[in-house]
Amino acid sequence: MVDVTLNVTYAPVRVAKPSIAAMNNPPPKGAGKMIGKEDASRCVSIFKTLGLASIMIFAVVSLVGMIVIWKSGLIERVISQQLVIEKDTEVYDVWVKPPVKPIVNIFVFNYTNVAEFTAGKEKLKVKEVGPYVYRLSLEKVRVVFPTNDTVSFQEKKNYQFDPVLTKGSLDDVLMVPSFTVLGTVHKLDKLLGGLPFNPLPDSFFTKEPFEKIKVRDLIWGYDDAIYDTVRPFLNMVSGDLPAKMGLLVGKNSTDEMRFTINTGMQDINKLGIVSAINGKKKLSMWRSNECNRVDGSEGSMFPPPQVASGLRLYIFLAQLCRRIPFDAIKFMVTNGMPAVRYAPPEDVFSPDNPENQCYCLSGKCPKNGLFNVGPCVFDSPTMASFPHFFQGDPSLLDEVEGLKPDAEKHQFYLDVHHVIITPSKPD
């Protein structure tokens, strides 16, 4: 099991609303006949005062007009239009190459009693190690505008190791499950079941299900003779598999996945919403059109009106091949800026949630807290969960010792800053 935490610090933009300073100096009253030089002088003074009063009254009316316009939402709508994704704008430049570097924390579980577990004497015991920290540089490349309200792109990623923030070393040697064994047996069973002979070497079937490996190899991949042997057969079922096994193999480059999202040009309520992936407007691995929907935010931008109203947001997670709902849970201040914290509902991976039924393949759902991501990862027997089975079925914790789910550490959330709109506090 591996936990990957992404910490992002944004530099939001604050747009101040207008304020009115009170004016407590009414013009002096003047009355009576104006006779002689003294009265003429007084007359000039009165006219000057009346002129100043007129200017002040005009200013008050103008400022009141500004408040009326602001409260009517006109200014907010005008500024919202400046957030659309359009070439030759500051928003476009920041969107293409964000000036921030998200921090990626990778935690790994070291399996500490493999001998006792394989002998059937004890249940598995794990110890969390890390984090192994990387700073992630992002850039959108091969950007094109298929229509006047959509933009298509790929994402280029560059992971830079941060030894200062890392606890440990990339040369740490850990005992972990063997990806070669656990990641291929399922596929080979399907493939070999229809063959009259077994083309695999006996060494594959005698390999231990756990192995010692350096953290850097676990993350970036390693050579394995057994995997090299079975890979051609696996490619017959799953297409081209990576040359090496590793958590981030092929990620330190341009992502092959191509997103098409809405620019917000025609409708600001659709800003950043995904409309297609690799040219496809829907997926095909799930059991219904609803689950196969390509929808939700790409993750870098959200429609301002939806955030302001505290409505449910959706993010399409390519790693899971599905969209994930996020609900507003509290109003707060992050980095000195007003924001709304969003988190997935507790039943996001629950089999009792009717919205999850179409993700249950063969009519069988995993336990609460688990999501079968196998169809998204070369049809492998892979489950996704929150760290330490947070919000999962209590029985999951009975299988392994060393897991301690903690909302402060393991709650999946995102804080959405408000650029121009003051949000109403979520219930």
Side-chain angles (χ1 to χ4, degrees), residues 1-3 108-111 123-129 370 385-390 393-406 410:
M1 292 181 287
V2 179
D3 294 342
V108 183
F109 288 104
N110 185 29
Y111 290 70
K123 62 181 177 181
L124 274 176
K125 295 180 181 179
V126 297
K127 181 180 180 181
E128 185 182 82
V129 295
L370 298 178
S385 74
F386 293 125
H388 290 248
F389 293 138
F390 175 68
D393 191 297
S395 64
L396 296 173
L397 300 177
D398 296 335
E399 305 295 330
V400 184
E401 287 187 16
L403 299 179
K404 299 178 181 179
D406 184 341
H410 306 136

PDB file of all heavy atoms in Angstrom, residues 1-3 108-111 123-129 370 385-390 393-406 410:
ATOM      1  N   MET A   1       0.842  -1.195   0.000  1.00  0.00           N
ATOM      2  CA  MET A   1       0.000   0.000   0.000  1.00  0.00           C
ATOM      3  C   MET A   1       0.873   1.241   0.000  1.00  0.00           C
ATOM      4  O   MET A   1       1.903   1.292   0.645  1.00  0.00           O
ATOM      5  CB  MET A   1      -0.902   0.009   1.227  1.00  0.00           C
ATOM      6  CG  MET A   1      -1.974  -1.074   1.213  1.00  0.00           C
ATOM      7  SD  MET A   1      -3.040  -1.000   2.667  1.00  0.00           S
ATOM      8  CE  MET A   1      -1.918  -1.615   3.917  1.00  0.00           C
ATOM      9  N   VAL A   2       0.464   2.227  -0.743  1.00  0.00           N
ATOM     10  CA  VAL A   2       1.217   3.466  -0.856  1.00  0.00           C
ATOM     11  C   VAL A   2       0.259   4.634  -0.749  1.00  0.00           C
ATOM     12  O   VAL A   2      -0.818   4.618  -1.349  1.00  0.00           O
ATOM     13  CB  VAL A   2       1.973   3.536  -2.206  1.00  0.00           C
ATOM     14  CG1 VAL A   2       2.723   4.851  -2.304  1.00  0.00           C
ATOM     15  CG2 VAL A   2       2.939   2.371  -2.349  1.00  0.00           C
ATOM     16  N   ASP A   3       0.615   5.617   0.042  1.00  0.00           N
ATOM     17  CA  ASP A   3      -0.173   6.841   0.153  1.00  0.00           C
ATOM     18  C   ASP A   3       0.544   7.948  -0.585  1.00  0.00           C
ATOM     19  O   ASP A   3       1.746   8.144  -0.403  1.00  0.00           O
ATOM     20  CB  ASP A   3      -0.346   7.272   1.616  1.00  0.00           C
ATOM     21  CG  ASP A   3      -1.192   6.274   2.404  1.00  0.00           C
ATOM     22  OD1 ASP A   3      -1.887   5.487   1.758  1.00  0.00           O
ATOM     23  OD2 ASP A   3      -1.130   6.295   3.638  1.00  0.00           O
ATOM     24  N   VAL A 108       5.150   5.271   2.127  1.00  0.00           N
ATOM     25  CA  VAL A 108       5.186   3.859   1.749  1.00  0.00           C
ATOM     26  C   VAL A 108       5.040   3.009   3.003  1.00  0.00           C
ATOM     27  O   VAL A 108       5.582   3.344   4.057  1.00  0.00           O
ATOM     28  CB  VAL A 108       6.498   3.507   1.021  1.00  0.00           C
ATOM     29  CG1 VAL A 108       6.478   2.048   0.565  1.00  0.00           C
ATOM     30  CG2 VAL A 108       6.713   4.426  -0.172  1.00  0.00           C
ATOM     31  N   PHE A 109       4.333   1.891   2.884  1.00  0.00           N
ATOM     32  CA  PHE A 109       4.211   0.958   3.994  1.00  0.00           C
ATOM     33  C   PHE A 109       5.289  -0.121   3.882  1.00  0.00           C
ATOM     34  O   PHE A 109       5.409  -0.778   2.851  1.00  0.00           O
ATOM     35  CB  PHE A 109       2.832   0.303   4.001  1.00  0.00           C
ATOM     36  CG  PHE A 109       1.729   1.230   4.426  1.00  0.00           C
ATOM     37  CD1 PHE A 109       0.870   1.780   3.495  1.00  0.00           C
ATOM     38  CD2 PHE A 109       1.558   1.544   5.758  1.00  0.00           C
ATOM     39  CE1 PHE A 109      -0.146   2.630   3.876  1.00  0.00           C
ATOM     40  CE2 PHE A 109       0.543   2.391   6.162  1.00  0.00           C
ATOM     41  CZ  PHE A 109      -0.313   2.941   5.218  1.00  0.00           C
ATOM     42  N   ASN A 110       6.066  -0.264   4.938  1.00  0.00           N
ATOM     43  CA  ASN A 110       7.066  -1.318   5.038  1.00  0.00           C
ATOM     44  C   ASN A 110       6.424  -2.512   5.749  1.00  0.00           C
ATOM     45  O   ASN A 110       5.907  -2.371   6.866  1.00  0.00           O
ATOM     46  CB  ASN A 110       8.279  -0.809   5.816  1.00  0.00           C
ATOM     47  CG  ASN A 110       9.400  -1.816   5.847  1.00  0.00           C
ATOM     48  OD1 ASN A 110       9.544  -2.628   4.930  1.00  0.00           O
ATOM     49  ND2 ASN A 110      10.203  -1.788   6.902  1.00  0.00           N
ATOM     50  N   TYR A 111       6.428  -3.677   5.110  1.00  0.00           N
ATOM     51  CA  TYR A 111       5.814  -4.869   5.692  1.00  0.00           C
ATOM     52  C   TYR A 111       6.849  -5.546   6.593  1.00  0.00           C
ATOM     53  O   TYR A 111       7.888  -6.014   6.122  1.00  0.00           O
ATOM     54  CB  TYR A 111       5.340  -5.801   4.588  1.00  0.00           C
ATOM     55  CG  TYR A 111       4.152  -5.240   3.834  1.00  0.00           C
ATOM     56  CD1 TYR A 111       4.288  -4.139   2.981  1.00  0.00           C
ATOM     57  CD2 TYR A 111       2.887  -5.796   3.983  1.00  0.00           C
ATOM     58  CE1 TYR A 111       3.194  -3.614   2.312  1.00  0.00           C
ATOM     59  CE2 TYR A 111       1.785  -5.281   3.309  1.00  0.00           C
ATOM     60  CZ  TYR A 111       1.948  -4.188   2.478  1.00  0.00           C
ATOM     61  OH  TYR A 111       0.863  -3.663   1.828  1.00  0.00           O
ATOM     62  N   LYS A 123      -1.074 -12.014  11.331  1.00  0.00           N
ATOM     63  CA  LYS A 123      -1.605 -11.195  10.245  1.00  0.00           C
ATOM     64  C   LYS A 123      -0.578 -10.129   9.896  1.00  0.00           C
ATOM     65  O   LYS A 123       0.352  -9.858  10.671  1.00  0.00           O
ATOM     66  CB  LYS A 123      -2.939 -10.566  10.640  1.00  0.00           C
ATOM     67  CG  LYS A 123      -2.913  -9.610  11.816  1.00  0.00           C
ATOM     68  CD  LYS A 123      -4.329  -9.088  12.091  1.00  0.00           C
ATOM     69  CE  LYS A 123      -4.378  -8.181  13.288  1.00  0.00           C
ATOM     70  NZ  LYS A 123      -5.762  -7.701  13.560  1.00  0.00           N
ATOM     71  N   LEU A 124      -0.735  -9.542   8.758  1.00  0.00           N
ATOM     72  CA  LEU A 124       0.246  -8.581   8.258  1.00  0.00           C
ATOM     73  C   LEU A 124       0.418  -7.402   9.204  1.00  0.00           C
ATOM     74  O   LEU A 124      -0.560  -6.890   9.762  1.00  0.00           O
ATOM     75  CB  LEU A 124      -0.161  -8.069   6.885  1.00  0.00           C
ATOM     76  CG  LEU A 124       0.274  -8.891   5.673  1.00  0.00           C
ATOM     77  CD1 LEU A 124      -0.295  -8.283   4.394  1.00  0.00           C
ATOM     78  CD2 LEU A 124       1.789  -8.977   5.573  1.00  0.00           C
ATOM     79  N   LYS A 125       1.669  -6.974   9.340  1.00  0.00           N
ATOM     80  CA  LYS A 125       1.985  -5.773  10.109  1.00  0.00           C
ATOM     81  C   LYS A 125       2.714  -4.802   9.197  1.00  0.00           C
ATOM     82  O   LYS A 125       3.611  -5.197   8.440  1.00  0.00           O
ATOM     83  CB  LYS A 125       2.861  -6.110  11.313  1.00  0.00           C
ATOM     84  CG  LYS A 125       2.187  -7.000  12.346  1.00  0.00           C
ATOM     85  CD  LYS A 125       3.122  -7.298  13.508  1.00  0.00           C
ATOM     86  CE  LYS A 125       2.451  -8.212  14.530  1.00  0.00           C
ATOM     87  NZ  LYS A 125       3.364  -8.523  15.671  1.00  0.00           N
ATOM     88  N   VAL A 126       2.313  -3.532   9.241  1.00  0.00           N
ATOM     89  CA  VAL A 126       2.939  -2.531   8.379  1.00  0.00           C
ATOM     90  C   VAL A 126       3.380  -1.340   9.214  1.00  0.00           C
ATOM     91  O   VAL A 126       2.821  -1.061  10.279  1.00  0.00           O
ATOM     92  CB  VAL A 126       1.981  -2.054   7.265  1.00  0.00           C
ATOM     93  CG1 VAL A 126       1.597  -3.191   6.340  1.00  0.00           C
ATOM     94  CG2 VAL A 126       0.743  -1.407   7.870  1.00  0.00           C
ATOM     95  N   LYS A 127       4.384  -0.656   8.692  1.00  0.00           N
ATOM     96  CA  LYS A 127       4.861   0.577   9.316  1.00  0.00           C
ATOM     97  C   LYS A 127       5.016   1.626   8.230  1.00  0.00           C
ATOM     98  O   LYS A 127       5.704   1.416   7.232  1.00  0.00           O
ATOM     99  CB  LYS A 127       6.205   0.352  10.021  1.00  0.00           C
ATOM    100  CG  LYS A 127       6.731   1.607  10.718  1.00  0.00           C
ATOM    101  CD  LYS A 127       8.061   1.339  11.411  1.00  0.00           C
ATOM    102  CE  LYS A 127       8.584   2.612  12.106  1.00  0.00           C
ATOM    103  NZ  LYS A 127       9.890   2.372  12.772  1.00  0.00           N
ATOM    104  N   GLU A 128       4.368   2.760   8.433  1.00  0.00           N
ATOM    105  CA  GLU A 128       4.435   3.844   7.446  1.00  0.00           C
ATOM    106  C   GLU A 128       5.776   4.544   7.524  1.00  0.00           C
ATOM    107  O   GLU A 128       6.240   4.919   8.601  1.00  0.00           O
ATOM    108  CB  GLU A 128       3.306   4.839   7.695  1.00  0.00           C
ATOM    109  CG  GLU A 128       3.209   5.941   6.658  1.00  0.00           C
ATOM    110  CD  GLU A 128       2.095   6.921   6.977  1.00  0.00           C
ATOM    111  OE1 GLU A 128       2.331   7.825   7.804  1.00  0.00           O
ATOM    112  OE2 GLU A 128       1.000   6.774   6.406  1.00  0.00           O
ATOM    113  N   VAL A 129       6.414   4.740   6.369  1.00  0.00           N
ATOM    114  CA  VAL A 129       7.690   5.461   6.300  1.00  0.00           C
ATOM    115  C   VAL A 129       7.555   6.592   5.290  1.00  0.00           C
ATOM    116  O   VAL A 129       6.747   6.549   4.373  1.00  0.00           O
ATOM    117  CB  VAL A 129       8.854   4.528   5.919  1.00  0.00           C
ATOM    118  CG1 VAL A 129       9.090   3.494   6.997  1.00  0.00           C
ATOM    119  CG2 VAL A 129       8.575   3.836   4.586  1.00  0.00           C
ATOM    120  N   LEU A 370     -13.434   1.115  -0.408  1.00  0.00           N
ATOM    121  CA  LEU A 370     -12.589   0.606  -1.489  1.00  0.00           C
ATOM    122  C   LEU A 370     -13.246   0.901  -2.831  1.00  0.00           C
ATOM    123  O   LEU A 370     -14.470   0.863  -2.965  1.00  0.00           O
ATOM    124  CB  LEU A 370     -12.365  -0.896  -1.358  1.00  0.00           C
ATOM    125  CG  LEU A 370     -11.659  -1.397  -0.109  1.00  0.00           C
ATOM    126  CD1 LEU A 370     -11.576  -2.924  -0.130  1.00  0.00           C
ATOM    127  CD2 LEU A 370     -10.262  -0.789   0.013  1.00  0.00           C
ATOM    128  N   SER A 385      -8.160   3.424  -2.141  1.00  0.00           N
ATOM    129  CA  SER A 385      -8.812   3.804  -0.893  1.00  0.00           C
ATOM    130  C   SER A 385      -8.159   5.075  -0.391  1.00  0.00           C
ATOM    131  O   SER A 385      -7.110   5.501  -0.887  1.00  0.00           O
ATOM    132  CB  SER A 385      -8.680   2.699   0.161  1.00  0.00           C
ATOM    133  OG  SER A 385      -7.354   2.647   0.676  1.00  0.00           O
ATOM    134  N   PHE A 386      -8.764   5.686   0.614  1.00  0.00           N
ATOM    135  CA  PHE A 386      -8.109   6.793   1.290  1.00  0.00           C
ATOM    136  C   PHE A 386      -7.001   6.222   2.183  1.00  0.00           C
ATOM    137  O   PHE A 386      -7.027   5.027   2.524  1.00  0.00           O
ATOM    138  CB  PHE A 386      -9.113   7.583   2.122  1.00  0.00           C
ATOM    139  CG  PHE A 386     -10.146   8.302   1.298  1.00  0.00           C
ATOM    140  CD1 PHE A 386     -11.505   8.102   1.526  1.00  0.00           C
ATOM    141  CD2 PHE A 386      -9.769   9.173   0.287  1.00  0.00           C
ATOM    142  CE1 PHE A 386     -12.462   8.750   0.762  1.00  0.00           C
ATOM    143  CE2 PHE A 386     -10.713   9.827  -0.483  1.00  0.00           C
ATOM    144  CZ  PHE A 386     -12.054   9.618  -0.245  1.00  0.00           C
ATOM    145  N   PRO A 387      -6.016   7.036   2.560  1.00  0.00           N
ATOM    146  CA  PRO A 387      -4.910   6.532   3.392  1.00  0.00           C
ATOM    147  C   PRO A 387      -5.421   5.838   4.657  1.00  0.00           C
ATOM    148  O   PRO A 387      -6.358   6.299   5.307  1.00  0.00           O
ATOM    149  CB  PRO A 387      -4.123   7.801   3.731  1.00  0.00           C
ATOM    150  CG  PRO A 387      -4.415   8.736   2.602  1.00  0.00           C
ATOM    151  CD  PRO A 387      -5.840   8.462   2.222  1.00  0.00           C
ATOM    152  N   HIS A 388      -4.775   4.736   4.982  1.00  0.00           N
ATOM    153  CA  HIS A 388      -5.085   3.986   6.198  1.00  0.00           C
ATOM    154  C   HIS A 388      -6.548   3.535   6.250  1.00  0.00           C
ATOM    155  O   HIS A 388      -7.110   3.364   7.328  1.00  0.00           O
ATOM    156  CB  HIS A 388      -4.742   4.819   7.443  1.00  0.00           C
ATOM    157  CG  HIS A 388      -3.272   5.004   7.656  1.00  0.00           C
ATOM    158  ND1 HIS A 388      -2.582   4.441   8.710  1.00  0.00           N
ATOM    159  CD2 HIS A 388      -2.344   5.706   6.953  1.00  0.00           C
ATOM    160  CE1 HIS A 388      -1.311   4.784   8.658  1.00  0.00           C
ATOM    161  NE2 HIS A 388      -1.140   5.550   7.582  1.00  0.00           N
ATOM    162  N   PHE A 389      -7.156   3.341   5.083  1.00  0.00           N
ATOM    163  CA  PHE A 389      -8.565   2.950   4.993  1.00  0.00           C
ATOM    164  C   PHE A 389      -9.478   3.930   5.719  1.00  0.00           C
ATOM    165  O   PHE A 389     -10.500   3.552   6.297  1.00  0.00           O
ATOM    166  CB  PHE A 389      -8.780   1.537   5.550  1.00  0.00           C
ATOM    167  CG  PHE A 389      -8.127   0.458   4.733  1.00  0.00           C
ATOM    168  CD1 PHE A 389      -7.451  -0.589   5.355  1.00  0.00           C
ATOM    169  CD2 PHE A 389      -8.183   0.474   3.348  1.00  0.00           C
ATOM    170  CE1 PHE A 389      -6.839  -1.581   4.609  1.00  0.00           C
ATOM    171  CE2 PHE A 389      -7.572  -0.513   2.587  1.00  0.00           C
ATOM    172  CZ  PHE A 389      -6.893  -1.549   3.222  1.00  0.00           C
ATOM    173  N   PHE A 390      -9.115   5.197   5.668  1.00  0.00           N
ATOM    174  CA  PHE A 390      -9.939   6.236   6.292  1.00  0.00           C
ATOM    175  C   PHE A 390     -11.344   6.198   5.712  1.00  0.00           C
ATOM    176  O   PHE A 390     -11.523   6.098   4.498  1.00  0.00           O
ATOM    177  CB  PHE A 390      -9.299   7.607   6.068  1.00  0.00           C
ATOM    178  CG  PHE A 390     -10.112   8.763   6.560  1.00  0.00           C
ATOM    179  CD1 PHE A 390     -10.323   8.949   7.917  1.00  0.00           C
ATOM    180  CD2 PHE A 390     -10.682   9.668   5.671  1.00  0.00           C
ATOM    181  CE1 PHE A 390     -11.086  10.015   8.382  1.00  0.00           C
ATOM    182  CE2 PHE A 390     -11.434  10.732   6.121  1.00  0.00           C
ATOM    183  CZ  PHE A 390     -11.640  10.908   7.485  1.00  0.00           C
ATOM    184  N   ASP A 393     -14.736   0.470   5.728  1.00  0.00           N
ATOM    185  CA  ASP A 393     -15.369  -0.528   6.582  1.00  0.00           C
ATOM    186  C   ASP A 393     -14.406  -0.919   7.697  1.00  0.00           C
ATOM    187  O   ASP A 393     -13.234  -1.202   7.438  1.00  0.00           O
ATOM    188  CB  ASP A 393     -15.725  -1.759   5.743  1.00  0.00           C
ATOM    189  CG  ASP A 393     -16.625  -2.723   6.489  1.00  0.00           C
ATOM    190  OD1 ASP A 393     -16.182  -3.264   7.519  1.00  0.00           O
ATOM    191  OD2 ASP A 393     -17.765  -2.937   6.043  1.00  0.00           O
ATOM    192  N   PRO A 394     -14.864  -0.935   8.961  1.00  0.00           N
ATOM    193  CA  PRO A 394     -13.975  -1.284  10.082  1.00  0.00           C
ATOM    194  C   PRO A 394     -13.291  -2.628   9.919  1.00  0.00           C
ATOM    195  O   PRO A 394     -12.183  -2.843  10.442  1.00  0.00           O
ATOM    196  CB  PRO A 394     -14.925  -1.284  11.282  1.00  0.00           C
ATOM    197  CG  PRO A 394     -16.037  -0.356  10.896  1.00  0.00           C
ATOM    198  CD  PRO A 394     -16.217  -0.561   9.422  1.00  0.00           C
ATOM    199  N   SER A 395     -13.913  -3.552   9.184  1.00  0.00           N
ATOM    200  CA  SER A 395     -13.315  -4.876   9.018  1.00  0.00           C
ATOM    201  C   SER A 395     -12.003  -4.819   8.243  1.00  0.00           C
ATOM    202  O   SER A 395     -11.166  -5.728   8.354  1.00  0.00           O
ATOM    203  CB  SER A 395     -14.297  -5.815   8.301  1.00  0.00           C
ATOM    204  OG  SER A 395     -14.565  -5.361   6.980  1.00  0.00           O
ATOM    205  N   LEU A 396     -11.806  -3.753   7.447  1.00  0.00           N
ATOM    206  CA  LEU A 396     -10.555  -3.630   6.703  1.00  0.00           C
ATOM    207  C   LEU A 396      -9.364  -3.484   7.650  1.00  0.00           C
ATOM    208  O   LEU A 396      -8.264  -3.956   7.359  1.00  0.00           O
ATOM    209  CB  LEU A 396     -10.619  -2.422   5.759  1.00  0.00           C
ATOM    210  CG  LEU A 396     -11.661  -2.488   4.641  1.00  0.00           C
ATOM    211  CD1 LEU A 396     -11.731  -1.155   3.894  1.00  0.00           C
ATOM    212  CD2 LEU A 396     -11.320  -3.619   3.674  1.00  0.00           C
ATOM    213  N   LEU A 397      -9.591  -2.829   8.758  1.00  0.00           N
ATOM    214  CA  LEU A 397      -8.510  -2.631   9.725  1.00  0.00           C
ATOM    215  C   LEU A 397      -8.182  -3.914  10.476  1.00  0.00           C
ATOM    216  O   LEU A 397      -7.107  -4.037  11.066  1.00  0.00           O
ATOM    217  CB  LEU A 397      -8.894  -1.534  10.724  1.00  0.00           C
ATOM    218  CG  LEU A 397      -9.169  -0.147  10.122  1.00  0.00           C
ATOM    219  CD1 LEU A 397      -9.614   0.826  11.215  1.00  0.00           C
ATOM    220  CD2 LEU A 397      -7.932   0.381   9.418  1.00  0.00           C
ATOM    221  N   ASP A 398      -9.107  -4.877  10.456  1.00  0.00           N
ATOM    222  CA  ASP A 398      -8.849  -6.144  11.137  1.00  0.00           C
ATOM    223  C   ASP A 398      -7.854  -7.013  10.381  1.00  0.00           C
ATOM    224  O   ASP A 398      -7.281  -7.948  10.952  1.00  0.00           O
ATOM    225  CB  ASP A 398     -10.165  -6.924  11.312  1.00  0.00           C
ATOM    226  CG  ASP A 398     -11.146  -6.193  12.220  1.00  0.00           C
ATOM    227  OD1 ASP A 398     -10.680  -5.389  13.061  1.00  0.00           O
ATOM    228  OD2 ASP A 398     -12.363  -6.410  12.079  1.00  0.00           O
ATOM    229  N   GLU A 399      -7.641  -6.695   9.099  1.00  0.00           N
ATOM    230  CA  GLU A 399      -6.760  -7.520   8.271  1.00  0.00           C
ATOM    231  C   GLU A 399      -5.288  -7.161   8.419  1.00  0.00           C
ATOM    232  O   GLU A 399      -4.416  -7.973   8.112  1.00  0.00           O
ATOM    233  CB  GLU A 399      -7.166  -7.390   6.792  1.00  0.00           C
ATOM    234  CG  GLU A 399      -8.617  -7.719   6.496  1.00  0.00           C
ATOM    235  CD  GLU A 399      -8.934  -9.184   6.763  1.00  0.00           C
ATOM    236  OE1 GLU A 399      -8.021 -10.016   6.608  1.00  0.00           O
ATOM    237  OE2 GLU A 399     -10.088  -9.471   7.131  1.00  0.00           O
ATOM    238  N   VAL A 400      -5.017  -5.935   8.855  1.00  0.00           N
ATOM    239  CA  VAL A 400      -3.640  -5.447   8.905  1.00  0.00           C
ATOM    240  C   VAL A 400      -3.403  -4.681  10.194  1.00  0.00           C
ATOM    241  O   VAL A 400      -4.262  -3.889  10.610  1.00  0.00           O
ATOM    242  CB  VAL A 400      -3.326  -4.521   7.703  1.00  0.00           C
ATOM    243  CG1 VAL A 400      -1.858  -4.096   7.722  1.00  0.00           C
ATOM    244  CG2 VAL A 400      -3.664  -5.213   6.387  1.00  0.00           C
ATOM    245  N   GLU A 401      -2.260  -4.885  10.810  1.00  0.00           N
ATOM    246  CA  GLU A 401      -1.869  -4.114  11.988  1.00  0.00           C
ATOM    247  C   GLU A 401      -0.970  -2.953  11.564  1.00  0.00           C
ATOM    248  O   GLU A 401      -0.154  -3.091  10.655  1.00  0.00           O
ATOM    249  CB  GLU A 401      -1.114  -4.996  12.988  1.00  0.00           C
ATOM    250  CG  GLU A 401      -1.983  -5.976  13.739  1.00  0.00           C
ATOM    251  CD  GLU A 401      -1.210  -6.710  14.833  1.00  0.00           C
ATOM    252  OE1 GLU A 401      -0.111  -6.229  15.192  1.00  0.00           O
ATOM    253  OE2 GLU A 401      -1.693  -7.744  15.311  1.00  0.00           O
ATOM    254  N   GLY A 402      -1.147  -1.813  12.227  1.00  0.00           N
ATOM    255  CA  GLY A 402      -0.294  -0.659  11.943  1.00  0.00           C
ATOM    256  C   GLY A 402      -1.008   0.472  11.238  1.00  0.00           C
ATOM    257  O   GLY A 402      -0.409   1.512  10.972  1.00  0.00           O
ATOM    258  N   LEU A 403      -2.293   0.276  10.928  1.00  0.00           N
ATOM    259  CA  LEU A 403      -3.064   1.323  10.272  1.00  0.00           C
ATOM    260  C   LEU A 403      -3.822   2.133  11.311  1.00  0.00           C
ATOM    261  O   LEU A 403      -4.467   1.579  12.193  1.00  0.00           O
ATOM    262  CB  LEU A 403      -4.045   0.719   9.264  1.00  0.00           C
ATOM    263  CG  LEU A 403      -3.424  -0.084   8.115  1.00  0.00           C
ATOM    264  CD1 LEU A 403      -4.518  -0.631   7.212  1.00  0.00           C
ATOM    265  CD2 LEU A 403      -2.445   0.756   7.321  1.00  0.00           C
ATOM    266  N   LYS A 404      -3.730   3.454  11.203  1.00  0.00           N
ATOM    267  CA  LYS A 404      -4.385   4.341  12.158  1.00  0.00           C
ATOM    268  C   LYS A 404      -5.044   5.501  11.416  1.00  0.00           C
ATOM    269  O   LYS A 404      -4.460   6.578  11.255  1.00  0.00           O
ATOM    270  CB  LYS A 404      -3.371   4.880  13.167  1.00  0.00           C
ATOM    271  CG  LYS A 404      -2.701   3.796  14.007  1.00  0.00           C
ATOM    272  CD  LYS A 404      -1.658   4.390  14.951  1.00  0.00           C
ATOM    273  CE  LYS A 404      -0.985   3.295  15.770  1.00  0.00           C
ATOM    274  NZ  LYS A 404       0.058   3.863  16.687  1.00  0.00           N
ATOM    275  N   PRO A 405      -6.253   5.295  10.918  1.00  0.00           N
ATOM    276  CA  PRO A 405      -6.937   6.377  10.195  1.00  0.00           C
ATOM    277  C   PRO A 405      -7.179   7.582  11.083  1.00  0.00           C
ATOM    278  O   PRO A 405      -7.598   7.454  12.227  1.00  0.00           O
ATOM    279  CB  PRO A 405      -8.257   5.734   9.744  1.00  0.00           C
ATOM    280  CG  PRO A 405      -8.442   4.551  10.639  1.00  0.00           C
ATOM    281  CD  PRO A 405      -7.084   4.081  11.007  1.00  0.00           C
ATOM    282  N   ASP A 406      -6.880   8.761  10.548  1.00  0.00           N
ATOM    283  CA  ASP A 406      -6.977  10.005  11.307  1.00  0.00           C
ATOM    284  C   ASP A 406      -7.488  11.093  10.365  1.00  0.00           C
ATOM    285  O   ASP A 406      -6.861  11.377   9.335  1.00  0.00           O
ATOM    286  CB  ASP A 406      -5.604  10.379  11.862  1.00  0.00           C
ATOM    287  CG  ASP A 406      -5.633  11.615  12.752  1.00  0.00           C
ATOM    288  OD1 ASP A 406      -6.605  12.388  12.678  1.00  0.00           O
ATOM    289  OD2 ASP A 406      -4.670  11.832  13.508  1.00  0.00           O
ATOM    290  N   HIS A 410      -5.663  12.255   7.090  1.00  0.00           N
ATOM    291  CA  HIS A 410      -6.046  11.439   5.942  1.00  0.00           C
ATOM    292  C   HIS A 410      -7.314  11.903   5.235  1.00  0.00           C
ATOM    293  O   HIS A 410      -7.727  11.278   4.268  1.00  0.00           O
ATOM    294  CB  HIS A 410      -6.211   9.980   6.394  1.00  0.00           C
ATOM    295  CG  HIS A 410      -5.014   9.445   7.105  1.00  0.00           C
ATOM    296  ND1 HIS A 410      -5.088   8.689   8.262  1.00  0.00           N
ATOM    297  CD2 HIS A 410      -3.689   9.575   6.834  1.00  0.00           C
ATOM    298  CE1 HIS A 410      -3.871   8.365   8.667  1.00  0.00           C
ATOM    299  NE2 HIS A 410      -3.007   8.886   7.822  1.00  0.00           N
TER     300      HIS A 410
END
